[in-house]
Amino acid sequence: MKRKQHGAQFKAQVAMAELSAEYGGHPTMISTWKQELVKRAGELFERGAKTAADPQQTIDRLHQKIGQLQVEQNVLAGQPAIARLLKGGR
């Protein structure tokens, strides 16, 4: 019995379908992530690659973002129609 040969497009579609089904992501989004990984994968293995950003800077940036989001939520909650949506109503 001869083994079936699958084309690259078919293989990509199957991989996207399985990933999106397993993780609940949209196939286009997963495809974009894979392309970004392939494009930047070499950086992971370069000698003398830059180390990760300073952890304290990352924490400070995230705290700033949390504060910004809390302010936005409070502003939006002050509007009657938006407040109902935030509480789960219509």
Side-chain angles (χ1 to χ4, degrees):
M1 176 177 255
K2 188 174 181 181
R3 292 179 59 173
K4 188 171 184 174
Q5 299 290 321
H6 297 287
Q9 183 67 26
F10 176 78
K11 291 176 186 178
Q13 287 176 341
V14 170
M16 290 299 109
E18 287 181 8
L19 284 173
S20 64
E22 184 175 346
Y23 295 104
H26 191 276
T28 304
M29 180 179 61
I30 293 172
S31 177
T32 303
W33 291 346
K34 284 178 69 173
Q35 289 173 2
E36 183 70 17
L37 174 63
V38 169
K39 188 173 19 175
R40 299 182 59 197
E43 295 174 18
L44 298 173
F45 301 104
E46 288 180 359
R47 292 194 181 265
K50 295 179 183 177
T51 58
D54 179 29
Q56 189 58 47
Q57 287 179 342
T58 303
I59 291 170
D60 292 342
R61 186 174 41 83
L62 291 173
H63 282 150
Q64 181 181 9
K65 184 65 175 178
I66 290 169
Q68 175 189 351
L69 292 172
Q70 287 175 335
V71 168
E72 289 175 5
Q73 181 182 14
N74 291 339
V75 168
L76 292 174
Q79 299 176 4
I82 304 279
R84 284 195 306 270
L85 287 174
L86 290 174
K87 292 179 183 175
R90 289 184 179 219

